[in-house]
Amino acid sequence: MIRTIPKDTKYFHYYNSNPKGIRAGDCAIRALSLALNQTWDDTLQGLTEVALKCKRSPTETATIAKYLNQKGWRKELQPKYIDGTKYTGKQFIDARLKSTVIICKIGPHHISVIYGGRFYDTWDPSDYTVGNYWWFNC
């Protein structure tokens, strides 16, 4: 089965750091590798080391949070409007600084990276709801 590469939009740019071009099951590794300026392999290795210490899966949110914390990233709770409604990816991008690199949970079970004001991913998650997110606390 040949998959087409989605077209770039205002909120999305196709990006896949997986060395074999795989587009499923490794979203956290792909997102973190770009945000941390690491290879896919180095990111998986780092997550795996944390996971072994915690006795969790390398791509569980708790593992990702601990790994990012070790690297100086700060976790923020799910953003909401004053009335309690939640942001879509597009709304979140429009509300944030375009130069900020953000790793976020989005949709039911996905991790993505916002880089330069767009999601860098293998598919466009920008219409889904943003959950907790991380940014570099320099």
Side-chain angles (χ1 to χ4, degrees):
M1 175 165 106
I2 297 175
R3 287 197 200 175
T4 59
I5 294 175
K7 293 184 189 278
D8 284 2
T9 69
K10 177 181 175 184
Y11 298 100
F12 168 77
H13 173 75
Y14 180 82
Y15 171 78
N16 188 358
S17 63
N18 184 296
K20 296 224 175 197
I22 295 167
R23 296 202 254 180
D26 67 341
C27 60
I29 301 162
R30 288 186 277 108
L32 272 64
S33 71
L34 178 61
L36 299 172
N37 194 29
Q38 300 178 160
T39 66
W40 188 94
D41 289 345
D42 288 342
T43 304
L44 176 58
Q45 183 174 350
L47 284 167
T48 301
E49 288 169 6
V50 170
L52 287 168
K53 288 178 186 169
C54 299
K55 304 303 180 218
R56 302 186 80 101
S57 168
T59 56
E60 274 187 66
T61 303
T63 306
I64 292 165
K66 187 166 186 77
Y67 184 64
L68 289 173
N69 187 328
Q70 290 175 358
K71 300 235 175 236
W73 286 65
R74 181 176 172 176
K75 181 181 177 180
E76 299 289 344
L77 298 178
Q78 181 179 46
K80 295 180 185 175
Y81 289 100
I82 294 171
D83 67 0
T85 57
K86 300 171 185 176
Y87 285 77
T88 66
K90 290 175 183 176
Q91 293 166 332
F92 185 65
I93 286 172
D94 288 341
R96 299 292 300 181
L97 297 172
K98 299 289 186 210
S99 61
T100 303
V101 177
I102 295 170
I103 298 166
C104 66
K105 291 184 71 171
I106 187 158
H109 304 289
H110 191 60
I111 301 283
S112 192
V113 61
I114 299 170
Y115 185 85
R118 293 198 288 180
F119 284 98
Y120 275 60
D121 211 325
T122 58
W123 61 280
D124 184 357
S126 64
D127 285 325
Y128 288 85
T129 301
V130 172
N132 295 340
Y133 65 96
W134 295 264
W135 57 280
F136 187 68
N137 187 19
C138 50

